[in-house]
Amino acid sequence: MNAAVAERADEIKELVCRVLEIEPEKVSDTDLFTEDLGADSMKLIELLANLEIEFDVEIDEDEIERLVNLRGVYDVLSAALDA
C-alpha cells in the first residue's frame, strides 16, 4: 500500500462507507462490497468517481473489477497515485 493511502486509510474507509451507505464499524478490509454489503454496480461507479475527485487521480474504468473490498480500493488508489 502506498504511504499516502496508508496515511488516509480511515478517510478512504469513510468515503467508501458514505458512497455505499453503510456504517464504518460494519466494514472490514475484506468484506465484499456486492456480496456481503449489498452494493450494486452503480454504487461502484459512484465510488470510482468519488475516489478520482477526492485524490485528484484518474482511474481506468477497468479497475472497477478490483473494487471488491477496502483492500482492493487501497490497491487501486496506490497504483493510481504511483502512476
Side-chain angles (χ1 to χ4, degrees):
M1 180 183 325
N2 173 301
V5 171
E7 287 176 14
R8 296 179 69 182
D10 289 340
E11 183 181 342
I12 295 166
K13 182 176 181 176
E14 287 187 25
L15 181 142
V16 168
C17 291
R18 185 176 68 241
V19 171
L20 300 183
E21 299 176 0
I22 49 178
E23 295 297 320
E25 53 275 353
K26 294 183 179 179
V27 181
S28 75
D29 286 358
T30 57
D31 284 334
L32 300 174
F33 295 153
T34 53
E35 290 86 349
D36 298 332
L37 304 173
D40 60 19
S41 58
M42 292 305 294
K43 287 288 183 192
L44 297 180
I45 292 168
E46 185 180 344
L47 175 59
L48 182 71
N50 274 269
L51 291 168
E52 288 182 325
I53 292 166
E54 184 70 30
F55 288 87
D56 194 28
V57 294
E58 209 171 298
I59 301 172
D60 192 293
E61 286 183 18
D62 292 338
E63 294 289 359
I64 204 162
E65 295 173 6
R66 294 176 56 199
L67 298 178
V68 295
N69 57 24
L70 276 174
R71 208 174 277 165
V73 171
Y74 298 148
D75 290 345
V76 167
L77 263 180
S78 292
L81 290 168
D82 288 341

